[in-house]
Amino acid sequence: MIYITGFMSAGKTTTGQALGQMLNRTVYDTDFIIEQRCKKSIPAIFREDGEPFFREKETDVLTMLTSKHENAIVTTGGGATVKPVIES
């Protein structure tokens, strides 16, 4: 898998989609998956449930995608690197 990370609004999703098209790979956007699972927008999740809840969902999605062992591209939210996916 290729993971694309970076600052908020840096163009990760756009870059991931272009790269996916060039390499003919599936692209997963963690924010989109979280919005679909929670049935609300990222700003609403932060406002109503808080950042710790969002980070937990983000970790769940990253863990699920990583376990697929798929040759895909994953675009993450801007803060995805602030919490380790695998904790000791």
Side-chain angles (χ1 to χ4, degrees), residues 7-81:
F7 291 107
M8 188 180 354
S9 300
K12 297 175 298 289
T13 299
T14 302
T15 300
Q17 290 170 346
L19 188 59
Q21 209 166 28
M22 286 173 43
L23 299 176
N24 195 30
R25 292 189 186 184
T26 302
V27 178
Y28 296 102
D29 183 283
T30 59
D31 282 352
F32 178 78
I33 294 169
I34 293 166
E35 288 178 333
Q36 295 299 304
R37 286 183 172 187
C38 294
K39 296 181 177 29
K40 57 177 102 169
S41 69
I42 299 300
I45 293 169
F46 268 79
R47 185 176 57 255
E48 297 168 16
D49 305 303
E51 184 174 358
F53 175 85
F54 174 79
R55 295 294 169 215
E56 179 182 314
K57 296 305 170 197
E58 187 173 55
T59 298
D60 292 346
V61 169
L62 286 166
T63 301
M64 178 269 300
L65 291 173
T66 301
S67 71
K68 290 178 134 212
H69 302 289
E70 187 179 340
N71 200 9
I73 296 165
V74 177
T75 61
T76 67
T81 59

